[in-house]
């Protein structure tokens, strides 16, 4: 017996054009749950998205000549015959009135946005698909913006409200200390949220746009702190004697940040599938790099040794550093602030003596050590995945992989005496 699903799925370009559909087929596809796009003819489709949710959809031509999709109901709410009738009605409106279902749907959605909380939900739905760590801005909104103006009607938010929020963060409130960097980030987020409102024609002006960093936390100087070899030795002595106060995974994580020179979440969100430990290669996917370009980092034998220590603690998780929250260890990686909190704890206790130090300092340290090793500027910049500038960015596409592999080995040789401590190795 021929599987109708398979017959339909083997059509050209991955799109299925056999119709008409039957109600029995629809129920079968819904039960199966796999993504599907099945044509019933005349631009009317049954669709199951990647999350397994079924929809009725119409493919049509917009007034500007571009092709578009309109998803207008669910088969669970509207049976096949009724959906066909609805699709025919929409097509008639498109032909006679120049009706654009997608634009009308956006207008209707905008009309339902009345409060700052409504606006945030629409903004976050869009923004979360565009940025690497949407949970960071979500946390910032919940802490600093929602409690103050979340219930405000959009038209009633004034610059004085924005000023109150950023000054509140900058000066501290309750048990919260003054946080200049957070004040700047809060202002930036407020500006983006109300820019979104302007695009939707929900407000006439952006109440946050008249403020600058000077009104919030002030202009921030880039952090340039790095450790010399004596300080590296001191740091790992501090970390090793405080295992228990901090997790041993934090120790090996900081060792890897220092030896590879990667950005924090390039490491802490990494999965084991990215690594070839036999050949000493780490393929960092484009979506986790700042430049949005995939990057291959060579791994020195010593670095592989430290990675194996991480593996001994990651259990069956796909992640190098699985979440430490109960029930989430197999589903996601540690929070981006986990290692920051570990370092901050030791600074508060006077164990780490450098106020400027944070995990990102190890990236600066790595780059400085490469210069100390007399590694050429081009190789060192590629090692930490910095983009070239000007014409060099356009014309120099060499990745210096073999040169970087040699530099990785030299760097690890300098670091190993300070990092390798027999009592920390898990056999």
């Amino acid at each position: 017996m021929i599987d109708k699903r398979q017959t339909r799925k083997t059509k050209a370009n991955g799109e299925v054009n056999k119709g008409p559909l039957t109600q029995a087929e629809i129920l079968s596809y819904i039960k199966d749950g796999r993504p599907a796009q099945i044509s019933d003819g005349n631009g009317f489709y049954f669709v199951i998205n990647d999350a397994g949710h079924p929809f009725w959809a119409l493919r049509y031509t917009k007034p500007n000549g571009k092709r578009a999709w309109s998803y207008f109901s669910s088969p669970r709410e509207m049976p096949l015959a009724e959906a066909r009738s609805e699709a025919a009605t929409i097509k008639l409106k498109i032909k006679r009135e120049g009706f654009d279902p997608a634009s009308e749907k956006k207008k209707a959605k905008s009309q339902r946005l009345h409060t700052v909380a409504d606006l945030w939900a629409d903004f976050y739905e869009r923004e979360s698909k565009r940025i690497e760590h949407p949970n960071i801005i979500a946390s910032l909104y919940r802490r600093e913006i929602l409690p103050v103006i979340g219930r405000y009607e959009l038209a009633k938010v004034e610059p004085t409200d924005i000023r109150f929020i950023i000054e509140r963060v900058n000066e501290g409130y309750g048990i919260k200390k003054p946080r200049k960097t957070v004040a700047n980030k809060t202002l930036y987020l407020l500006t983006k949220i109300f820019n979104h409102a302007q695009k939707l024609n929900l407000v006439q002006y952006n109440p946050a746009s008249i403020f600058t960093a000077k009104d919030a936390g002030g202009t921030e100087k880039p952090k340039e702190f790095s450790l010399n070899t004596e300080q590296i030795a001191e740091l790992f002595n501090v970390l090793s004697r405080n295992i228990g106060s901090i997790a041993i995974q934090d120790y090996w994580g900081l060792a890897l940040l220092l030896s590879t020179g990667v950005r924090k979440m390039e490491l802490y969100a990494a999965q084991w599938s990215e690594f070839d430990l036999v050949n000493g290669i780490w393929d960092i996917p484009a979506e986790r790099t700042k430049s949005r370009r995939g990057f291959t980092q060579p791994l020195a034998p010593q670095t592989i040794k430290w990675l194996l220590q991480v593996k001994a603690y990651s259990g069956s998780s796909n992640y190098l550093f699985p979440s430490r929250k109960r029930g989430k260890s197999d589903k996601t990686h540690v929070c981006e602030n986990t290692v920051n909190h570990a370092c901050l704890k030791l600074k508060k206790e006077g164990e780490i003596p450098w106020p400027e130090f944070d995990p990102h300092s190890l990236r600066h340290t790595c780059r400085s050590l490469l210069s100390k090793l007399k590694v050429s500027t081009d190789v060192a910049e590629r090692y930490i995945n910095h983009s070239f500038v000007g014409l060099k960015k356009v014309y120099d596409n060499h990745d210096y992989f073999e040169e970087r592999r040699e530099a990785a080995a030299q760097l690890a040789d300098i670091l190993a005496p300070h990092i390798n401590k027999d009592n920390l190795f898990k056999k």
Side-chain angles (χ1 to χ4, degrees):
M1 181 178 178
I2 297 175
D3 183 340
K4 288 185 178 181
R5 182 188 184 98
Q6 290 301 319
T7 301
R8 295 187 175 216
K9 290 194 76 175
T10 53
K11 296 294 182 180
N13 300 323
E15 186 174 296
V16 182
N17 294 308
K18 182 177 177 180
L21 287 160
T22 67
Q23 189 66 31
E25 281 184 292
I26 297 299
L27 295 174
S28 174
Y29 294 144
I30 291 174
K31 184 177 180 180
D32 182 79
R34 285 181 291 168
Q37 181 179 296
I38 316 293
S39 173
D40 187 62
N42 298 317
F44 174 50
Y45 285 80
F46 166 72
V47 176
I48 297 181
N49 66 13
D50 290 340
H53 300 304
F55 298 94
W56 296 122
L58 182 67
R59 196 174 188 194
Y60 67 100
T61 302
K62 301 177 77 168
N64 62 9
K66 293 184 178 181
R67 298 285 281 167
W69 288 88
S70 174
Y71 301 90
F72 59 87
S73 189
S74 164
R76 294 191 175 102
E77 300 168 356
M78 182 181 289
L80 176 58
E82 189 179 336
R84 281 190 184 125
S85 176
E86 179 68 16
T89 301
I90 295 172
K91 286 187 68 177
L92 194 60
K93 288 183 69 176
I94 292 169
K95 183 177 180 180
R96 289 182 176 178
E97 305 170 18
F99 178 71
D100 184 353
S103 296
E104 291 300 318
K105 190 174 182 180
K106 286 181 180 178
K107 286 181 184 177
K109 187 175 182 180
S110 296
Q111 290 170 358
R112 296 194 298 270
L113 306 180
H114 302 296
T115 67
V116 173
D118 296 334
L119 174 64
W120 163 258
D122 189 75
F123 169 80
Y124 184 72
E125 181 183 357
R126 174 178 173 273
E127 199 71 5
S128 62
K129 300 171 184 175
R130 297 157 55 95
I131 62 176
E132 187 175 354
H133 300 295
N135 55 311
I136 294 178
I137 64 167
S139 176
L140 185 62
Y141 168 78
R142 287 193 302 269
R143 290 195 322 264
E144 313 300 349
I145 301 171
L146 176 62
V148 182
I149 60 171
R151 295 183 180 181
Y152 281 30
E153 291 181 23
L154 293 172
K156 293 184 178 179
V157 178
E158 299 180 350
T160 51
D161 300 311
I162 305 300
R163 180 184 176 185
F164 175 78
I165 292 171
I166 58 179
E167 287 187 350
R168 180 172 179 259
V169 178
N170 191 39
E171 296 171 3
Y173 60 90
I175 62 170
K176 298 283 189 182
K177 294 181 179 179
R179 292 161 296 152
K180 296 183 180 298
T181 299
V182 177
N184 286 341
K185 290 179 178 177
T186 303
L187 175 59
Y188 178 69
L189 181 57
L190 282 162
T191 304
K192 291 194 69 175
I193 292 171
F194 282 97
N195 278 344
H196 183 63
Q198 280 189 297
K199 291 174 185 177
L200 297 177
N201 201 30
L202 297 172
V203 295
Q204 294 302 308
Y205 76 102
N206 184 334
S209 63
I210 61 174
F211 296 97
T212 68
K214 290 181 181 178
D215 301 302
T219 304
E220 297 180 60
K221 295 180 180 179
K223 294 180 180 180
E224 298 177 352
F225 180 73
S226 63
L227 304 172
N228 58 36
T229 48
E230 291 77 14
Q231 291 170 322
I232 291 170
E234 185 177 353
L235 172 66
F236 283 93
N237 283 334
V238 166
L239 295 172
S240 64
R241 69 171 177 259
N242 281 280
I243 299 299
S245 178
I246 64 168
I248 195 168
Q249 295 95 315
D250 295 327
Y251 182 94
W252 296 117
L254 292 168
L256 291 170
L257 285 177
L258 181 55
S259 64
T260 60
V262 297
R263 295 176 177 88
K264 183 179 66 175
M265 292 314 294
E266 289 172 351
L267 175 67
Y268 280 91
Q271 299 190 42
W272 288 111
S273 57
E274 300 166 17
F275 291 81
D276 178 353
L277 297 184
V278 174
N279 295 303
I281 294 173
W282 176 14
D283 287 318
I284 308 175
E287 61 268 20
R288 257 199 1 271
T289 66
K290 186 175 181 179
S291 63
R292 290 297 185 266
R293 295 195 313 268
F295 181 64
T296 301
Q297 182 72 307
L299 302 170
Q302 285 288 350
T303 302
I304 294 172
K305 186 177 180 182
W306 301 330
L307 277 164
L308 290 173
Q309 290 303 302
V310 172
K311 195 167 184 63
Y313 290 94
S314 66
S316 59
S317 176
N318 293 328
Y319 293 95
L320 274 70
F321 298 93
S323 172
R324 296 172 196 172
K325 294 181 180 178
R326 184 175 296 177
K328 290 189 175 182
S329 60
D330 293 333
K331 299 176 183 178
T332 188
H333 51 77
V334 291
C335 169
E336 62 275 2
N337 290 321
T338 299
V339 69
N340 295 59
H341 289 321
C343 293
L344 183 60
K345 174 180 170 59
L346 295 181
K347 284 200 292 184
K348 286 181 176 178
E349 293 172 353
E351 293 284 348
I352 293 179
W354 315 289
E356 313 95 317
F357 176 84
D358 65 19
H360 192 70
S361 304
L362 298 178
R363 181 169 162 85
H364 290 282
T365 303
C366 174
R367 180 61 181 85
S368 299
L369 288 175
L370 291 171
S371 291
K372 184 177 180 179
L373 288 166
K374 294 184 170 49
V375 174
S376 75
T377 299
D378 288 348
V379 174
E381 290 294 284
R382 282 288 196 217
Y383 190 94
I384 62 171
N385 197 18
H386 268 172
S387 297
F388 293 146
V389 296
L391 289 176
K392 194 172 186 64
K393 180 178 181 179
V394 177
Y395 290 104
D396 190 349
N397 294 313
H398 182 48
D399 72 353
Y400 299 92
F401 183 81
E402 292 305 323
E403 296 90 337
R404 287 190 289 119
R405 184 182 286 282
E406 182 179 346
Q410 293 176 343
L411 181 61
D413 285 343
I414 288 179
L415 299 175
H418 308 304
I419 293 172
N420 290 341
K421 300 183 186 300
D422 290 339
N423 63 312
L424 297 184
F425 279 92
K426 188 172 183 177
K427 306 299 183 183

